[in-house]
Amino acid sequence: MGKGQYIAKRLIQLVITFLIILTILFFLFRLALPDPTAALVMDGLSAEEQAMVRERFGLDRPIVEQYFIYLRNFMRGEFGLSFHYKSPVFPILMEKLFNTLALMLPAIFVSYLIGPLLGVLLSWKRGSNIEFTGIIGGLTLRSAPVFWTGMIFIMVFGIWLGILPTSGMRTLPYEASSNLDKILTLDYLRHLILPMFTIAIYYLGLPMLIMRNTMLEIMGEDFIELCQAKGLSERKIMYKHVARNALLPVVTQAAITIGLAVGGQVVVEVVFSWPGLGREMIQAVRTSDFPMAQSAFMMMAGLVLVMNTVADLLYSYLDPRVVLKGGDK
Amino acid sequence: MAKNKKGLKERLKYLKPMLMNIIEPFKIIIKDPLGRIGAVILSIIVLIAIFAPVLATHNPNIMNERIEGSVIPFDEDGNWSNYQIIGEKPLNEVAVGLEYELAVADGGFIYEREIDGDWIEYDLGQDLDFLAAAVYQDFKLVGGEAGLILFQNEDGNWEQLDTPVDTNINDIYLFSRDSAYAVGDNGTFLSWNGQEWSQIDSGTERNLREISFISPDDGIIVGDRGTIIHYRDDQLEEPSFRAFTDATFRDLLAVSYYNENQAIAVGERATIMVYDGEDWYTDDSGASRSLNGVIHISENEAYAIGLRGTILKYDGENWETIDRITRRDYRGITFAMDRGYIYGVEPYVNELAPPSGDHLFGTTHLGRDIWSQVMYGTRTALMVGIIAALVVNLIGATVGLIAGYYRGNIDNVLMRIVDIMYGLPLEPFAIILVLIFEPSLWIIIMAIGLLTWRTNARIIRSQVLSLVERPFIKAARVAGASDLRIMLIHITPNILPLAFLQLAVAMGYAITAEATLSFLGLGPPQIYSWGTILHSARLSGAWRTAWWWVIPPGLFISVTVVSVFLISRSLEVLTNPRLRGGRDNAPEPEEPKNLLPNEQPNN
């Protein structure tokens, strides 16, 4: 199978999977909550007014019809009306997604910058105490719940030392004409530091340990011996030959992590009151804002799927040894 | 089926390899030094979970109270500060004399000291509360429940005086050795002539709370339901509160009579009555709590105290609330000989107490014991961890086994389902489930169970794929064994160690996931888990300073999860048999490929 075919196949798979998740979610909601209006309709509305609200949100039609309307709207990028905001969900979500990415991408960048470097160090010093501490440290960093490290960061840097802001994305009130405007300030950077490092520390362990393992694997391969025979310095072998080849799994892991991070770090957004997608979803759950919660979830699931596919494609593209055969992995 | 005819012994034969395979992982864990550390830690956590009720020093739901007898002295700068604890029972009155100070408390306790000396405690061992104290030179009187009045004799012992009443004595006012007055419940009004107590008809049946004099023949008594009685020249002025323009029907608890034109009475619900020499009228202090004591310090300085640390200062015209020193309930205030005390206190909720011997991890904003909560939280964490891990393994292993054994279309379909599962992010999915259903531990277990079996299925499947090619499986097949039989008897024992590894991995993720969801407030509120403890800490807002509330639960989560990770790491030789044997502390180039339990994190 050629590369183009493989990519096409993965893309089709991606779309089908997404549709299935969408369908499951739609019916899960409708089966568990036969009448979502209960959450929507305020007390004191007359039966007539309730019917009007129902009609406005299209809840008076048969469920199958509702499903197809939902699908059609979804394809058009119309995610429905938020019960809470009484306005379209999509623009709100896009802004929240931007905020989330403005936090996650720097965090992942930092952890995937430092992590592999530490991994090289660990594999170089293998068998030493440094490595032993490194492994335990890496596992510990991943075991500490992120929201807890976040709380401790806030206590230490926000309250005791009082040097960094601990909540929100910008000092309120602020005005920004565009998203880019919002983050191109020093104020944003100051707000970014604590939540970013909270997440970066959590993600640091994984690339570090992956890097170390792959390095060790590659060091056992023949071409390294060849390099040694050529009389290259150890440093040069390490960085130029081993590390370079070991980066591949780290890169693909980074792609997967980006997908997961958007939905996976809801708690950090909550702890630092970061106005992101996850916090919006929690709020939607609390206020029983179904369209909002549903769409936020679909956005997260979609990102996970896309990034997983990207990781797969990257892997097949970057590693010449990968033989592309059918869908089986 | 032929199997059914075989004896029990025959069947046991098949159990043996299963048992061997279950024991093997334990051997591997023990061999690995890091695995040993993990196993020891996890065992401790399990023991904590089992013995949680024994280890918990308090009921985690109870608001713990503290009781103490404390005084706040009036210092030279005119401030009330320097909170001191002098006993373990709430003080009901402190009397200040020229040479001695006397304090009386609930439960039959009397404290006495010479000026600037140390407090001496007398425990009279009576189950009675002492309510009143008075001191004149070295003559000391103590009044209490059931008409009890005591004096201290030359030997320093407390002796009872005969009284004509058996109602509570609420206040004693002492002029000299042979002149004193006492008031009490049910209109009790007594006078002392140096020899005996005699009753004066107060003309009321209401409880009288406090008495204050400016001279032996001019005093004011206050009591329940707005009672104010003037006692002048041995004459009781009609105890008709209705006579006053601003009469109150609230209980008056304390009075301070400073001179003929100045007196203040205070009482329930921040009632303040001021006397201007002719009439009583109510004053508004801006306070809202019950006021238990009032005292004049000079013509233009008076203080009133009350519940929840209320201290009010009066400058002759206005009342000003002084910043709270504590939030305790004060019972009274006294001032004489340029010395004064605010005293009390009622039992109070021991809120946000830092760690101490009594509360190892301190208390919450509701006075709940954090140590006990953490101990019970261990149970929740392990329960969710173990059940979720079992569910995950049951689904994952079954799917993996079937997919790997049958291959072809079945495999394809099952693996596509796994792919779909990989598209669902765990935390958001659990949040959605909570939105649809109700927050409970089962939702959390279900969310973890439904989503994390995907990794198990993949790993088990690849193991089964290679097993199926092995000669003994092929032999069984040629011998005519059914698919079910091959799967159960020949393959299952061989994937057990791997399943065991996945059990450990899933447990680690389940514990973290439970903590995370509970932290978001999506756990059941009535059950203590490490996540809910942190949730309530965050909700209360006190977590920013109450470090003892934040650090312990998080440490327990981290330590538990690390121990499980260490165990699963040592078990990874199972996925990579090349590693077997000759592995010591110093890792060799052939380390397990996945140092982290999952390269596809499940969150």
Side-chain angles (χ1 to χ4, degrees):
Chain A
M1 193 187 291
K3 260 188 184 151
Q5 249 181 315
Y6 177 70
I7 294 174
K9 190 173 171 159
R10 290 295 285 128
L11 287 181
I12 292 169
Q13 253 180 32
L14 169 73
V15 172
I16 294 175
T17 316
F18 188 76
L19 282 180
I20 292 174
I21 292 177
L22 193 71
T23 310
I24 293 175
L25 205 67
F26 179 85
F27 284 101
L28 191 65
F29 264 92
R30 287 303 180 278
L31 291 180
L33 305 156
D35 186 11
T37 31
L40 160 68
V41 175
M42 283 151 286
D43 292 332
L45 281 190
S46 69
E48 222 168 88
E49 285 166 317
Q50 288 192 16
M52 264 175 63
V53 174
R54 235 166 251 175
E55 201 187 317
R56 182 165 163 234
F57 286 90
L59 294 165
D60 54 339
R61 299 170 203 224
I63 187 162
V64 179
E65 199 186 332
Q66 279 185 45
Y67 171 67
F68 282 108
I69 294 174
Y70 180 68
L71 268 191
R72 192 191 63 200
N73 288 342
F74 207 93
M75 297 298 153
R76 290 183 187 159
E78 292 169 17
F79 291 11
L81 286 177
S82 158
F83 292 174
H84 178 68
Y85 293 92
K86 310 271 184 295
S87 69
V89 164
F90 190 68
I92 301 174
L93 282 184
M94 283 316 281
E95 200 208 325
K96 302 293 175 187
L97 177 66
F98 178 85
N99 294 346
T100 294
L101 290 177
L103 169 63
M104 296 302 165
L105 291 181
I108 291 173
F109 179 75
V110 167
S111 56
Y112 277 81
L113 192 72
I114 302 173
L117 288 177
L118 289 176
V120 173
L121 187 76
L122 287 193
S123 65
W124 203 338
K125 306 272 178 196
R126 70 172 184 274
S128 69
N129 279 338
I130 295 182
E131 195 207 25
F132 192 75
T133 351
I135 292 174
I136 298 254
L139 288 175
T140 313
L141 289 183
R142 267 189 79 77
S143 306
V146 256
F147 56 89
W148 181 65
T149 18
M151 285 168 99
I152 294 200
F153 270 24
I154 292 180
M155 265 201 301
V156 175
F157 296 101
I159 314 291
W160 291 348
L161 300 178
I163 46 175
L164 287 170
T166 59
S167 98
M169 206 173 165
R170 292 282 305 270
T171 311
L172 296 171
Y174 66 91
E175 274 183 34
S177 53
S178 74
N179 276 334
L180 217 54
D181 214 22
K182 194 157 58 184
I183 63 167
L184 288 176
T185 59
L186 212 61
D187 189 39
Y188 156 74
L189 282 181
R190 276 169 51 77
H191 281 78
L192 181 67
I193 293 174
L194 286 185
M196 188 195 75
F197 276 104
T198 304
I199 300 170
I201 280 180
Y202 176 71
Y203 280 135
L204 192 66
L206 194 58
M208 176 177 96
L209 295 173
I210 292 178
M211 188 70 184
R212 169 189 168 277
N213 291 346
T214 340
M215 291 272 296
L216 290 178
E217 235 165 59
I218 292 173
M219 279 196 276
E221 283 184 23
D222 295 342
F223 77 97
I224 300 298
E225 262 174 63
L226 187 69
C227 291
Q228 281 162 344
K230 269 170 41 185
L232 297 179
S233 72
E234 201 182 343
R235 182 178 296 265
K236 197 163 182 184
I237 297 176
M238 271 294 176
Y239 281 107
K240 202 165 173 197
H241 296 277
V242 186
R244 216 167 145 190
N245 283 295
L247 268 177
L248 177 63
V250 176
V251 170
T252 50
Q253 184 58 47
I256 295 173
T257 308
I258 290 173
L260 286 171
V262 173
Q265 299 310 332
V266 174
V267 262
V268 178
E269 289 181 7
V270 170
V271 169
F272 288 95
S273 308
W274 193 270
L277 199 57
R279 200 159 151 262
E280 187 61 39
M281 187 171 146
I282 298 265
Q283 201 204 328
V285 167
R286 295 231 164 96
T287 53
S288 297
D289 188 350
F290 301 108
M292 182 63 95
Q294 210 168 338
S295 309
F297 178 79
M298 283 320 295
M299 200 169 248
M300 292 172 183
L303 266 161
V304 171
L305 285 173
V306 169
M307 293 318 288
N308 280 355
T309 309
V310 168
D312 274 1
L313 295 179
L314 265 181
Y315 201 81
S316 65
Y317 184 74
L318 292 177
D319 192 341
R321 288 172 302 184
V322 173
V323 183
L324 301 172
K325 44 177 191 139
D328 271 345
K329 281 163 283 174
Chain B
M1 271 171 75
K3 200 173 107 186
N4 294 336
K5 290 177 193 155
K6 289 179 184 168
L8 185 69
K9 229 177 190 179
E10 192 71 4
R11 259 191 252 172
L12 277 177
K13 188 178 85 183
Y14 297 115
L15 273 177
K16 206 183 159 199
M18 287 228 193
L19 282 176
M20 290 305 291
N21 274 314
I22 289 175
I23 293 167
E24 192 191 25
F26 290 101
K27 284 188 190 160
I28 294 171
I29 296 169
I30 301 301
K31 253 192 230 161
D32 181 56
L34 284 180
R36 267 204 300 271
I37 296 175
V40 169
I41 296 174
L42 191 65
S43 313
I44 294 172
I45 299 285
V46 170
L47 286 178
I48 289 178
I50 295 172
F51 293 107
V54 183
L55 289 168
T57 48
H58 298 74
N59 178 339
N61 284 316
I62 275 186
M63 295 191 182
N64 292 290
E65 292 196 330
R66 277 190 69 170
I67 304 177
E68 64 193 22
S70 59
V71 292
I72 305 172
F74 185 73
D75 59 34
E76 302 89 39
D77 306 327
N79 292 323
W80 299 97
S81 56
N82 190 18
Y83 185 82
Q84 299 168 4
I85 298 171
I86 63 170
E88 286 169 356
K89 299 284 180 182
L91 300 179
N92 285 314
E93 184 146 15
V94 177
V96 176
L98 211 54
E99 297 154 43
Y100 290 99
E101 289 174 354
L102 187 63
V104 294
D106 285 353
F109 280 89
I110 300 175
Y111 304 90
E112 177 220 5
R113 72 165 182 180
E114 281 182 61
I115 302 306
D116 297 328
D118 291 329
W119 290 97
I120 304 161
E121 181 185 289
Y122 297 89
D123 178 3
L124 298 204
Q126 312 220 17
D127 198 20
L128 289 170
D129 296 343
F130 290 132
L131 306 170
V135 53
Y136 171 76
Q137 291 170 352
D138 60 351
F139 186 55
K140 299 156 201 159
L141 285 177
V142 166
E145 286 183 324
L148 197 68
I149 297 182
L150 307 171
F151 82 100
Q152 194 180 32
N153 62 23
E154 295 80 31
D155 310 329
N157 295 321
W158 294 90
E159 250 177 64
Q160 192 170 345
L161 294 168
D162 285 334
T163 54
V165 292
D166 58 359
T167 52
N168 295 349
I169 304 295
N170 290 330
D171 194 28
I172 299 176
Y173 203 100
L174 189 57
F175 288 105
S176 68
R177 280 188 170 276
D178 39 44
S179 171
Y181 291 95
V183 293
D185 285 357
N186 296 341
T188 301
F189 186 24
L190 305 173
S191 96
W192 166 255
N193 60 8
Q195 300 300 320
E196 57 173 11
W197 288 95
S198 54
Q199 199 161 3
I200 304 172
D201 183 10
S202 64
T204 176
E205 285 297 304
R206 298 202 164 87
N207 297 337
L208 301 177
R209 297 292 182 174
E210 198 167 287
I211 184 166
S212 180
F213 286 88
I214 49 170
S215 68
D217 50 12
D218 193 354
I220 296 174
I221 307 169
V222 296
D224 284 1
R225 303 221 53 209
T227 307
I228 298 176
I229 302 172
H230 285 252
Y231 178 71
R232 281 183 187 136
D233 307 324
D234 299 344
Q235 293 297 308
L236 281 166
E237 214 164 274
E238 188 72 11
S240 151
F241 41 85
R242 289 176 194 85
F244 308 119
T245 46
D246 256 335
T248 177
F249 287 92
R250 296 204 178 118
D251 292 353
L252 294 175
L253 302 173
V255 61
S256 172
Y257 194 9
Y258 188 69
N259 62 33
E260 280 169 11
N261 300 320
Q262 274 186 309
I264 302 171
V266 297
E268 282 187 333
R269 295 199 214 168
T271 304
I272 293 182
M273 303 283 293
V274 177
Y275 182 63
D276 62 0
E278 285 181 20
D279 215 346
W280 289 86
Y281 58 91
T282 54
D283 203 357
D284 184 19
S285 63
S288 57
R289 315 240 181 216
S290 181
L291 297 175
N292 292 335
V294 61
I295 199 77
H296 278 91
I297 284 184
S298 67
E299 205 161 319
N300 293 319
E301 192 176 4
Y303 291 91
I305 56 88
L307 301 185
R308 295 297 279 176
T310 308
I311 303 178
L312 302 171
K313 185 179 182 178
Y314 185 59
D315 60 7
E317 287 185 10
N318 297 309
W319 293 90
E320 174 200 351
T321 305
I322 295 182
D323 285 344
R324 280 194 278 221
I325 302 161
T326 70
R327 296 162 74 90
R328 318 267 195 270
D329 296 337
Y330 304 132
R331 286 190 171 179
I333 186 169
T334 188
F335 190 87
M337 320 289 164
D338 292 331
R339 278 175 283 122
Y341 294 103
I342 292 172
Y343 51 84
V345 297
E346 302 295 330
Y348 59 93
V349 173
N350 192 9
E351 56 193 19
L352 291 176
S356 63
D358 191 25
H359 299 287
L360 292 173
F361 288 166
T363 59
T364 71
H365 68 312
L366 296 175
R368 292 176 175 160
D369 184 58
I370 295 171
W371 162 266
S372 308
Q373 294 188 350
V374 170
M375 292 298 109
Y376 279 102
T378 314
R379 285 191 158 186
T380 316
L382 280 191
M383 195 189 84
V384 171
I386 290 169
I387 297 179
L390 284 176
V391 172
V392 166
N393 235 24
L394 201 68
I395 306 177
T398 314
V399 170
L401 185 62
I402 293 174
Y405 183 78
Y406 288 105
R407 291 183 278 190
N409 280 337
I410 294 179
D411 182 27
N412 248 332
V413 170
L414 288 176
M415 285 303 109
R416 285 299 80 72
I417 294 177
V418 168
D419 282 347
I420 294 171
M421 287 299 165
Y422 269 110
L424 296 171
L426 174 61
E427 275 163 40
F429 185 67
I431 292 167
I432 290 284
L433 283 185
V434 170
L435 170 63
I436 298 175
F437 304 101
E438 286 284 300
S440 80
L441 282 186
W442 295 112
I443 287 289
I444 293 176
I445 291 173
M446 196 170 109
I448 299 165
L450 276 178
L451 289 195
T452 50
W453 60 266
R454 52 198 186 187
T455 323
N456 284 30
R458 272 190 183 174
I459 292 172
I460 300 275
R461 170 181 169 271
S462 56
Q463 176 91 351
V464 174
L465 278 177
S466 76
L467 274 173
V468 171
E469 299 299 324
R470 301 263 288 276
F472 73 98
I473 301 288
K474 288 189 170 162
R477 203 172 277 164
V478 171
S482 69
D483 288 344
L484 191 69
R485 189 180 160 84
I486 294 175
M487 278 198 273
L488 283 181
I489 291 176
H490 298 285
I491 299 182
T492 308
N494 287 295
I495 57 171
L496 273 182
L498 196 58
F500 198 87
L501 162 67
Q502 289 305 310
L503 204 67
V505 174
M507 200 173 138
Y509 279 111
I511 290 172
T512 313
E514 188 274 327
T516 307
L517 294 171
S518 297
F519 171 73
L520 291 174
L522 304 176
Q526 65 279 18
I527 292 175
Y528 281 107
S529 87
W530 297 327
T532 37
I533 296 172
L534 288 168
H535 172 66
S536 46
R538 211 183 104 77
L539 210 61
S540 77
W543 64 277
R544 284 160 180 272
T545 45
W547 52 268
W548 57 87
W549 198 354
V550 175
I551 291 174
L555 270 186
F556 268 78
I557 299 172
S558 312
V559 166
T560 311
V561 176
V562 158
S563 75
V564 179
F565 275 180
L566 287 177
I567 289 174
S568 62
R569 183 182 168 277
S570 69
L571 278 176
E572 258 151 17
V573 288
L574 293 169
T575 54
N576 198 347
R578 277 187 305 153
L579 297 167
R580 249 168 243 231
R583 191 156 154 273
D584 58 7
N585 193 358
E588 288 162 24
E590 295 172 300
E591 270 287 282
K593 189 172 178 297
N594 303 337
L595 250 185
L596 273 175
N598 268 336
E599 290 219 351
Q600 291 259 17
N602 275 316
N603 64 355

